[in-house]
Amino acid sequence: VQLVESGGGLVQPGGSLRLSCAASGFTFSRYVMSWYRQAPGKERELVAAIPSAGGSTNYADSVKGRFTISRDNTKNTVYLQMNSLKPEDTAVYYCNAKWVGVIPRNYWGQGTQVTVSS
């Protein structure tokens, strides 16, 4: 199983980034996909989630209206479009795959650094 994030980097306040997470080794279309983030000295927090077939998404209050999660089940990839970035969005962003079947599965990527600074 692999979750490989990409697209992080340094961006100025007000800028945009698009994170991608390429999945392999499991049936991507059956999993809820999420993005979490962890800032220095803080706990990991849920940023956004999208169900297995797409549709209704869920966002942290702090990113609503600025971030958009999406997925392409034909490419086994989940995305996080981040607009109007703020310094407080600085964190390591992690991709997560979760299946709540009879035997639950929970996978994590290695993370990608996002730094918002002028």
PDB file of all heavy atoms in Angstrom, residues 23-47:
ATOM      1  N   ALA A  23      -2.574   6.958  -4.951  1.00  0.00           N
ATOM      2  CA  ALA A  23      -2.737   5.751  -4.148  1.00  0.00           C
ATOM      3  C   ALA A  23      -2.475   4.496  -4.975  1.00  0.00           C
ATOM      4  O   ALA A  23      -2.762   4.460  -6.177  1.00  0.00           O
ATOM      5  CB  ALA A  23      -4.157   5.697  -3.579  1.00  0.00           C
ATOM      6  N   SER A  24      -1.966   3.473  -4.320  1.00  0.00           N
ATOM      7  CA  SER A  24      -1.760   2.189  -4.967  1.00  0.00           C
ATOM      8  C   SER A  24      -1.763   1.093  -3.920  1.00  0.00           C
ATOM      9  O   SER A  24      -1.526   1.343  -2.739  1.00  0.00           O
ATOM     10  CB  SER A  24      -0.448   2.173  -5.750  1.00  0.00           C
ATOM     11  OG  SER A  24       0.638   2.376  -4.885  1.00  0.00           O
ATOM     12  N   GLY A  25      -2.065  -0.121  -4.367  1.00  0.00           N
ATOM     13  CA  GLY A  25      -2.004  -1.269  -3.472  1.00  0.00           C
ATOM     14  C   GLY A  25      -3.287  -1.600  -2.749  1.00  0.00           C
ATOM     15  O   GLY A  25      -3.310  -2.528  -1.928  1.00  0.00           O
ATOM     16  N   PHE A  26      -4.352  -0.864  -3.026  1.00  0.00           N
ATOM     17  CA  PHE A  26      -5.648  -1.169  -2.429  1.00  0.00           C
ATOM     18  C   PHE A  26      -6.734  -0.641  -3.371  1.00  0.00           C
ATOM     19  O   PHE A  26      -6.446   0.081  -4.333  1.00  0.00           O
ATOM     20  CB  PHE A  26      -5.786  -0.554  -1.034  1.00  0.00           C
ATOM     21  CG  PHE A  26      -5.729   0.949  -0.987  1.00  0.00           C
ATOM     22  CD1 PHE A  26      -6.890   1.707  -0.946  1.00  0.00           C
ATOM     23  CD2 PHE A  26      -4.506   1.609  -0.974  1.00  0.00           C
ATOM     24  CE1 PHE A  26      -6.840   3.094  -0.895  1.00  0.00           C
ATOM     25  CE2 PHE A  26      -4.438   2.988  -0.929  1.00  0.00           C
ATOM     26  CZ  PHE A  26      -5.604   3.738  -0.893  1.00  0.00           C
ATOM     27  N   THR A  27      -7.973  -1.017  -3.091  1.00  0.00           N
ATOM     28  CA  THR A  27      -9.090  -0.631  -3.954  1.00  0.00           C
ATOM     29  C   THR A  27      -9.531   0.781  -3.598  1.00  0.00           C
ATOM     30  O   THR A  27     -10.401   0.993  -2.756  1.00  0.00           O
ATOM     31  CB  THR A  27     -10.251  -1.623  -3.830  1.00  0.00           C
ATOM     32  OG1 THR A  27      -9.775  -2.959  -4.036  1.00  0.00           O
ATOM     33  CG2 THR A  27     -11.332  -1.322  -4.883  1.00  0.00           C
ATOM     34  N   PHE A  28      -8.923   1.719  -4.263  1.00  0.00           N
ATOM     35  CA  PHE A  28      -9.078   3.140  -3.942  1.00  0.00           C
ATOM     36  C   PHE A  28     -10.551   3.552  -3.889  1.00  0.00           C
ATOM     37  O   PHE A  28     -10.969   4.288  -2.992  1.00  0.00           O
ATOM     38  CB  PHE A  28      -8.330   3.956  -4.991  1.00  0.00           C
ATOM     39  CG  PHE A  28      -8.430   5.438  -4.832  1.00  0.00           C
ATOM     40  CD1 PHE A  28      -7.617   6.106  -3.933  1.00  0.00           C
ATOM     41  CD2 PHE A  28      -9.328   6.175  -5.597  1.00  0.00           C
ATOM     42  CE1 PHE A  28      -7.693   7.481  -3.781  1.00  0.00           C
ATOM     43  CE2 PHE A  28      -9.414   7.548  -5.457  1.00  0.00           C
ATOM     44  CZ  PHE A  28      -8.592   8.208  -4.553  1.00  0.00           C
ATOM     45  N   SER A  29     -11.341   3.088  -4.846  1.00  0.00           N
ATOM     46  CA  SER A  29     -12.724   3.548  -4.973  1.00  0.00           C
ATOM     47  C   SER A  29     -13.601   3.151  -3.798  1.00  0.00           C
ATOM     48  O   SER A  29     -14.720   3.661  -3.665  1.00  0.00           O
ATOM     49  CB  SER A  29     -13.329   3.034  -6.278  1.00  0.00           C
ATOM     50  OG  SER A  29     -13.342   1.617  -6.283  1.00  0.00           O
ATOM     51  N   ARG A  30     -13.134   2.258  -2.944  1.00  0.00           N
ATOM     52  CA  ARG A  30     -13.927   1.822  -1.801  1.00  0.00           C
ATOM     53  C   ARG A  30     -13.621   2.598  -0.526  1.00  0.00           C
ATOM     54  O   ARG A  30     -14.274   2.400   0.499  1.00  0.00           O
ATOM     55  CB  ARG A  30     -13.694   0.334  -1.520  1.00  0.00           C
ATOM     56  CG  ARG A  30     -14.181  -0.579  -2.621  1.00  0.00           C
ATOM     57  CD  ARG A  30     -13.967  -2.032  -2.241  1.00  0.00           C
ATOM     58  NE  ARG A  30     -14.403  -2.943  -3.288  1.00  0.00           N
ATOM     59  CZ  ARG A  30     -14.312  -4.259  -3.209  1.00  0.00           C
ATOM     60  NH1 ARG A  30     -13.786  -4.818  -2.123  1.00  0.00           N
ATOM     61  NH2 ARG A  30     -14.739  -5.012  -4.199  1.00  0.00           N
ATOM     62  N   TYR A  31     -12.620   3.453  -0.594  1.00  0.00           N
ATOM     63  CA  TYR A  31     -12.128   4.109   0.611  1.00  0.00           C
ATOM     64  C   TYR A  31     -12.572   5.563   0.709  1.00  0.00           C
ATOM     65  O   TYR A  31     -12.605   6.285  -0.300  1.00  0.00           O
ATOM     66  CB  TYR A  31     -10.601   4.067   0.643  1.00  0.00           C
ATOM     67  CG  TYR A  31     -10.027   2.740   1.058  1.00  0.00           C
ATOM     68  CD1 TYR A  31     -10.210   1.605   0.264  1.00  0.00           C
ATOM     69  CD2 TYR A  31      -9.321   2.613   2.242  1.00  0.00           C
ATOM     70  CE1 TYR A  31      -9.694   0.381   0.652  1.00  0.00           C
ATOM     71  CE2 TYR A  31      -8.796   1.393   2.627  1.00  0.00           C
ATOM     72  CZ  TYR A  31      -8.989   0.283   1.833  1.00  0.00           C
ATOM     73  OH  TYR A  31      -8.473  -0.925   2.222  1.00  0.00           O
ATOM     74  N   VAL A  32     -12.869   5.981   1.945  1.00  0.00           N
ATOM     75  CA  VAL A  32     -13.000   7.401   2.231  1.00  0.00           C
ATOM     76  C   VAL A  32     -11.600   7.993   2.237  1.00  0.00           C
ATOM     77  O   VAL A  32     -10.689   7.458   2.868  1.00  0.00           O
ATOM     78  CB  VAL A  32     -13.662   7.628   3.612  1.00  0.00           C
ATOM     79  CG1 VAL A  32     -13.689   9.109   3.955  1.00  0.00           C
ATOM     80  CG2 VAL A  32     -15.061   7.037   3.643  1.00  0.00           C
ATOM     81  N   MET A  33     -11.436   9.098   1.519  1.00  0.00           N
ATOM     82  CA  MET A  33     -10.140   9.758   1.449  1.00  0.00           C
ATOM     83  C   MET A  33     -10.195  11.090   2.183  1.00  0.00           C
ATOM     84  O   MET A  33     -11.190  11.829   2.079  1.00  0.00           O
ATOM     85  CB  MET A  33      -9.736   9.978  -0.002  1.00  0.00           C
ATOM     86  CG  MET A  33      -9.569   8.699  -0.810  1.00  0.00           C
ATOM     87  SD  MET A  33      -8.338   7.581  -0.117  1.00  0.00           S
ATOM     88  CE  MET A  33      -6.841   8.570  -0.238  1.00  0.00           C
ATOM     89  N   SER A  34      -9.130  11.377   2.889  1.00  0.00           N
ATOM     90  CA  SER A  34      -9.100  12.606   3.692  1.00  0.00           C
ATOM     91  C   SER A  34      -7.723  13.245   3.612  1.00  0.00           C
ATOM     92  O   SER A  34      -6.731  12.583   3.296  1.00  0.00           O
ATOM     93  CB  SER A  34      -9.412  12.288   5.157  1.00  0.00           C
ATOM     94  OG  SER A  34     -10.644  11.651   5.311  1.00  0.00           O
ATOM     95  N   TRP A  35      -7.709  14.524   3.915  1.00  0.00           N
ATOM     96  CA  TRP A  35      -6.467  15.257   4.138  1.00  0.00           C
ATOM     97  C   TRP A  35      -6.460  15.718   5.592  1.00  0.00           C
ATOM     98  O   TRP A  35      -7.456  16.263   6.087  1.00  0.00           O
ATOM     99  CB  TRP A  35      -6.375  16.462   3.215  1.00  0.00           C
ATOM    100  CG  TRP A  35      -6.110  16.122   1.792  1.00  0.00           C
ATOM    101  CD1 TRP A  35      -7.025  15.978   0.792  1.00  0.00           C
ATOM    102  CD2 TRP A  35      -4.812  15.884   1.200  1.00  0.00           C
ATOM    103  NE1 TRP A  35      -6.394  15.658  -0.381  1.00  0.00           N
ATOM    104  CE2 TRP A  35      -5.033  15.608  -0.162  1.00  0.00           C
ATOM    105  CE3 TRP A  35      -3.508  15.899   1.671  1.00  0.00           C
ATOM    106  CZ2 TRP A  35      -4.001  15.326  -1.043  1.00  0.00           C
ATOM    107  CZ3 TRP A  35      -2.486  15.624   0.791  1.00  0.00           C
ATOM    108  CH2 TRP A  35      -2.728  15.344  -0.539  1.00  0.00           C
ATOM    109  N   TYR A  36      -5.338  15.472   6.244  1.00  0.00           N
ATOM    110  CA  TYR A  36      -5.095  15.968   7.597  1.00  0.00           C
ATOM    111  C   TYR A  36      -3.879  16.891   7.533  1.00  0.00           C
ATOM    112  O   TYR A  36      -3.115  16.881   6.562  1.00  0.00           O
ATOM    113  CB  TYR A  36      -4.778  14.799   8.543  1.00  0.00           C
ATOM    114  CG  TYR A  36      -5.957  13.958   8.945  1.00  0.00           C
ATOM    115  CD1 TYR A  36      -6.546  13.060   8.052  1.00  0.00           C
ATOM    116  CD2 TYR A  36      -6.490  14.043  10.228  1.00  0.00           C
ATOM    117  CE1 TYR A  36      -7.627  12.276   8.426  1.00  0.00           C
ATOM    118  CE2 TYR A  36      -7.565  13.252  10.614  1.00  0.00           C
ATOM    119  CZ  TYR A  36      -8.125  12.379   9.709  1.00  0.00           C
ATOM    120  OH  TYR A  36      -9.195  11.607  10.090  1.00  0.00           O
ATOM    121  N   ARG A  37      -3.696  17.650   8.590  1.00  0.00           N
ATOM    122  CA  ARG A  37      -2.483  18.461   8.689  1.00  0.00           C
ATOM    123  C   ARG A  37      -2.016  18.513  10.139  1.00  0.00           C
ATOM    124  O   ARG A  37      -2.814  18.352  11.067  1.00  0.00           O
ATOM    125  CB  ARG A  37      -2.707  19.873   8.152  1.00  0.00           C
ATOM    126  CG  ARG A  37      -3.652  20.734   8.963  1.00  0.00           C
ATOM    127  CD  ARG A  37      -3.900  22.067   8.250  1.00  0.00           C
ATOM    128  NE  ARG A  37      -4.777  22.938   9.013  1.00  0.00           N
ATOM    129  CZ  ARG A  37      -5.262  24.098   8.555  1.00  0.00           C
ATOM    130  NH1 ARG A  37      -4.927  24.517   7.323  1.00  0.00           N
ATOM    131  NH2 ARG A  37      -6.044  24.831   9.312  1.00  0.00           N
ATOM    132  N   GLN A  38      -0.724  18.747  10.273  1.00  0.00           N
ATOM    133  CA  GLN A  38      -0.140  18.870  11.607  1.00  0.00           C
ATOM    134  C   GLN A  38       0.891  19.986  11.590  1.00  0.00           C
ATOM    135  O   GLN A  38       1.887  19.914  10.866  1.00  0.00           O
ATOM    136  CB  GLN A  38       0.508  17.561  12.039  1.00  0.00           C
ATOM    137  CG  GLN A  38       0.966  17.568  13.479  1.00  0.00           C
ATOM    138  CD  GLN A  38       1.295  16.181  13.989  1.00  0.00           C
ATOM    139  OE1 GLN A  38       1.527  15.246  13.221  1.00  0.00           O
ATOM    140  NE2 GLN A  38       1.308  16.027  15.302  1.00  0.00           N
ATOM    141  N   ALA A  39       0.618  21.009  12.390  1.00  0.00           N
ATOM    142  CA  ALA A  39       1.535  22.128  12.544  1.00  0.00           C
ATOM    143  C   ALA A  39       2.475  21.835  13.715  1.00  0.00           C
ATOM    144  O   ALA A  39       2.142  21.031  14.597  1.00  0.00           O
ATOM    145  CB  ALA A  39       0.752  23.408  12.790  1.00  0.00           C
ATOM    146  N   PRO A  40       3.632  22.472  13.747  1.00  0.00           N
ATOM    147  CA  PRO A  40       4.588  22.238  14.836  1.00  0.00           C
ATOM    148  C   PRO A  40       3.946  22.490  16.206  1.00  0.00           C
ATOM    149  O   PRO A  40       3.302  23.522  16.417  1.00  0.00           O
ATOM    150  CB  PRO A  40       5.693  23.243  14.557  1.00  0.00           C
ATOM    151  CG  PRO A  40       5.626  23.478  13.089  1.00  0.00           C
ATOM    152  CD  PRO A  40       4.175  23.400  12.740  1.00  0.00           C
ATOM    153  N   GLY A  41       4.081  21.521  17.090  1.00  0.00           N
ATOM    154  CA  GLY A  41       3.561  21.668  18.435  1.00  0.00           C
ATOM    155  C   GLY A  41       2.071  21.461  18.578  1.00  0.00           C
ATOM    156  O   GLY A  41       1.520  21.655  19.664  1.00  0.00           O
ATOM    157  N   LYS A  42       1.422  21.076  17.486  1.00  0.00           N
ATOM    158  CA  LYS A  42      -0.029  20.871  17.528  1.00  0.00           C
ATOM    159  C   LYS A  42      -0.377  19.444  17.135  1.00  0.00           C
ATOM    160  O   LYS A  42       0.419  18.734  16.530  1.00  0.00           O
ATOM    161  CB  LYS A  42      -0.735  21.864  16.599  1.00  0.00           C
ATOM    162  CG  LYS A  42      -0.592  23.315  17.018  1.00  0.00           C
ATOM    163  CD  LYS A  42      -1.455  24.216  16.152  1.00  0.00           C
ATOM    164  CE  LYS A  42      -1.369  25.655  16.620  1.00  0.00           C
ATOM    165  NZ  LYS A  42      -2.219  26.556  15.787  1.00  0.00           N
ATOM    166  N   GLU A  43      -1.606  19.051  17.478  1.00  0.00           N
ATOM    167  CA  GLU A  43      -2.073  17.729  17.112  1.00  0.00           C
ATOM    168  C   GLU A  43      -2.484  17.704  15.636  1.00  0.00           C
ATOM    169  O   GLU A  43      -2.842  18.729  15.054  1.00  0.00           O
ATOM    170  CB  GLU A  43      -3.259  17.336  17.992  1.00  0.00           C
ATOM    171  CG  GLU A  43      -2.906  17.135  19.453  1.00  0.00           C
ATOM    172  CD  GLU A  43      -4.062  16.557  20.257  1.00  0.00           C
ATOM    173  OE1 GLU A  43      -5.166  16.430  19.708  1.00  0.00           O
ATOM    174  OE2 GLU A  43      -3.839  16.238  21.442  1.00  0.00           O
ATOM    175  N   ARG A  44      -2.453  16.511  15.082  1.00  0.00           N
ATOM    176  CA  ARG A  44      -2.922  16.339  13.709  1.00  0.00           C
ATOM    177  C   ARG A  44      -4.435  16.583  13.667  1.00  0.00           C
ATOM    178  O   ARG A  44      -5.170  16.090  14.538  1.00  0.00           O
ATOM    179  CB  ARG A  44      -2.599  14.934  13.210  1.00  0.00           C
ATOM    180  CG  ARG A  44      -2.801  14.736  11.732  1.00  0.00           C
ATOM    181  CD  ARG A  44      -2.268  13.374  11.287  1.00  0.00           C
ATOM    182  NE  ARG A  44      -0.820  13.260  11.472  1.00  0.00           N
ATOM    183  CZ  ARG A  44      -0.105  12.240  11.001  1.00  0.00           C
ATOM    184  NH1 ARG A  44      -0.701  11.266  10.309  1.00  0.00           N
ATOM    185  NH2 ARG A  44       1.201  12.192  11.211  1.00  0.00           N
ATOM    186  N   GLU A  45      -4.887  17.328  12.668  1.00  0.00           N
ATOM    187  CA  GLU A  45      -6.299  17.651  12.566  1.00  0.00           C
ATOM    188  C   GLU A  45      -6.825  17.340  11.170  1.00  0.00           C
ATOM    189  O   GLU A  45      -6.102  17.422  10.175  1.00  0.00           O
ATOM    190  CB  GLU A  45      -6.549  19.139  12.878  1.00  0.00           C
ATOM    191  CG  GLU A  45      -5.901  20.104  11.909  1.00  0.00           C
ATOM    192  CD  GLU A  45      -6.303  21.546  12.136  1.00  0.00           C
ATOM    193  OE1 GLU A  45      -7.208  21.813  12.939  1.00  0.00           O
ATOM    194  OE2 GLU A  45      -5.697  22.424  11.487  1.00  0.00           O
ATOM    195  N   LEU A  46      -8.110  16.994  11.133  1.00  0.00           N
ATOM    196  CA  LEU A  46      -8.769  16.730   9.862  1.00  0.00           C
ATOM    197  C   LEU A  46      -8.997  18.049   9.120  1.00  0.00           C
ATOM    198  O   LEU A  46      -9.522  19.004   9.700  1.00  0.00           O
ATOM    199  CB  LEU A  46     -10.107  16.031  10.085  1.00  0.00           C
ATOM    200  CG  LEU A  46     -10.956  15.778   8.848  1.00  0.00           C
ATOM    201  CD1 LEU A  46     -10.283  14.770   7.921  1.00  0.00           C
ATOM    202  CD2 LEU A  46     -12.342  15.290   9.253  1.00  0.00           C
ATOM    203  N   VAL A  47      -8.618  18.086   7.862  1.00  0.00           N
ATOM    204  CA  VAL A  47      -8.823  19.261   7.019  1.00  0.00           C
ATOM    205  C   VAL A  47     -10.052  19.076   6.129  1.00  0.00           C
ATOM    206  O   VAL A  47     -10.915  19.949   6.060  1.00  0.00           O
ATOM    207  CB  VAL A  47      -7.584  19.528   6.143  1.00  0.00           C
ATOM    208  CG1 VAL A  47      -7.851  20.684   5.177  1.00  0.00           C
ATOM    209  CG2 VAL A  47      -6.370  19.808   7.014  1.00  0.00           C
TER     210      VAL A  47
END
